[in-house]
Amino acid sequence: MTVTQEQADWFADAFGKLADNVNQAILGKDHVVRLVVAAMLTSGHVLLEDFPGTGKTVLAKALAKTLDGTNSRIQFTPDLLPSDVTGVTIYDQGKGIFEFHKGPIFASIVLADEINRASPKTQSALLEVMEEGRVTVDGVSHEVGNPFMVIATQNPVEQAGTYTLPEAQLDRFLIKTSLGYPDHDTAVTLLLDSSNRARDSKITPIIASGSVNTMAQLASDVFVDAAVLSYLNEIVTATRTDPSSTLGVSMRGALALARAAKTWALSQGRTYVTPDDIRDLAVPVLAHRIMVEPEADFAGVTAEDIVSRILVEVAPPAYRAA
């Protein structure tokens, strides 16, 4: 099925309204907000990594409130157990049967706050549900429903009492992004409104959960030319052979970029993906999947630097010599 221009215009308008709604809580960060909304409409998960007090939790809560579905918040701590996330099976003496009591992971939007504070065992409880949309408890699988999205936050500064996310966990996040500190004018605006301690409280739902599925399905039908997919694959392959990396982007990462690029193109009212869509999303979709070689890491090279360098070295198809 091919997306029509009329459908593309409708999608772009709806996408803009979703981003504007979230922007009421997060000022001056439109690009980051659009990335997060795009992840939601691509059926992906988001990792927000930034310094404390930059609005990570507010952004996650604002997006959850934008969707007229269920949402939950899990505060990750070192003593959090996997069953505290997924749920637990309890024997009901009155009925004489075992009953499954759902955990907070059963929601449309799940905010996993300070995810790196939980033990690796608890973090692993998210692996199955983030990839397959279900949890298995005592050998029985339970679907979490659709749409389903995990928005996790962590800060790179505090290391005491934290556990580094394993590569398998990072690979399940569609994008990793950060808000950063606001510019001068935005900071002054926030200071003038300092009495408002809950900026996300003004957010009201503007999209039904069923509409999210409709938009996600529409985005999956966007056209991608073989030359653009070849360009995408060359970028991914270069991450695996780059001398500064010990682990490049997996095939899951390549597929994630292809899906995200479709949503990104449609959000701009286009029925097809361009090389610029790939370039716009390459860093937030690919960088967190790369392991930097220790000596390069010591020299200050980051995964973002590797992807940025590859984007310069690999020519887009439109600019290649005939």
Side-chain angles (χ1 to χ4, degrees):
M1 180 179 177
T2 304
V3 179
T4 65
Q5 187 57 53
E6 183 180 2
Q7 290 174 318
D9 293 339
W10 170 82
F11 187 100
D13 180 66
F15 187 98
K17 289 177 180 177
L18 288 170
D20 290 343
N21 198 54
V22 177
N23 276 327
Q24 295 181 66
I26 301 293
L27 301 182
K29 298 296 178 181
D30 183 65
H31 181 68
V32 175
V33 169
R34 291 179 70 86
L35 283 175
V36 175
V37 172
M40 179 180 73
L41 299 178
T42 313
S43 302
H45 310 290
V46 175
L47 177 61
L48 298 174
E49 182 179 85
D50 214 330
F51 304 115
T54 52
K56 301 185 297 296
T57 303
V58 174
L59 172 56
K61 290 169 67 176
L63 183 66
K65 290 183 177 181
T66 294
L67 175 65
D68 188 16
T70 57
N71 64 80
S72 63
R73 175 177 178 176
I74 309 172
Q75 186 66 51
F76 280 69
T77 56
D79 60 348
L80 192 73
L81 299 175
S83 58
D84 295 329
V85 176
T86 60
V88 64
T89 302
I90 299 177
Y91 183 71
D92 188 319
Q93 290 186 335
K95 298 179 181 178
I97 58 173
F98 285 94
E99 288 188 338
F100 177 66
H101 292 249
K102 295 180 178 179
I105 199 66
F106 286 83
S108 302
I109 303 287
V110 179
L111 169 56
D113 214 0
E114 296 187 287
I115 188 173
N116 56 330
R117 290 197 174 278
S119 67
K121 183 177 182 180
T122 301
Q123 289 179 17
S124 67
L126 293 173
L127 292 176
E128 180 187 15
V129 69
M130 289 177 67
E131 181 69 17
E132 303 175 21
R134 65 171 182 261
V135 297
T136 301
V137 179
D138 296 330
V140 180
S141 295
H142 306 271
E143 301 289 334
V144 295
N146 195 22
F148 170 70
M149 180 183 189
V150 173
I151 305 176
T153 70
Q154 66 175 5
N155 77 72
V157 181
E158 294 184 66
Q159 299 301 322
T162 63
Y163 302 86
T164 302
L165 294 182
E167 284 68 36
Q169 182 81 61
L170 288 171
D171 205 24
R172 282 163 170 77
F173 286 102
L174 177 69
I175 68 169
K176 175 185 174 184
T177 187
S178 61
L179 288 162
Y181 292 115
D183 58 36
H184 177 76
D185 292 341
T186 302
V188 172
T189 301
L190 289 170
L191 290 171
L192 289 171
D193 193 31
S194 59
S195 59
N196 184 2
R197 298 179 63 88
R199 297 193 60 85
D200 59 281
S201 62
K202 66 178 69 174
I203 302 297
T204 55
I206 65 169
I207 185 172
S209 56
S211 297
V212 172
N213 295 331
T214 300
M215 294 180 74
Q217 181 58 50
L218 190 63
S220 68
D221 293 331
V222 170
F223 173 76
V224 190
D225 190 84
V228 175
L229 291 176
S230 177
Y231 173 57
L232 185 159
N233 189 62
E234 287 181 29
I235 293 172
V236 169
T237 301
T239 67
R240 302 167 187 163
T241 58
D242 191 281
S244 296
S245 72
T246 56
L247 178 67
V249 176
S250 68
M251 198 60 211
R252 181 192 285 124
L255 291 168
L257 181 53
R259 290 194 295 265
K262 291 182 178 183
T263 305
W264 196 250
L266 203 55
S267 73
Q268 298 172 64
R270 278 186 282 103
T271 61
Y272 55 90
V273 175
T274 69
D276 284 339
D277 295 321
I278 304 299
R279 296 172 65 85
D280 288 344
L281 296 175
V283 171
V285 175
L286 302 181
H288 63 283
R289 307 170 195 269
I290 298 172
M291 285 185 63
V292 181
E293 194 271 332
E295 289 188 11
D297 185 35
F298 184 75
V301 176
T302 65
E304 289 79 6
D305 294 334
I306 294 174
V307 177
S308 297
R309 183 175 68 248
I310 289 172
L311 290 176
V312 173
E313 295 173 349
V314 179
Y319 303 107
R320 290 173 181 165

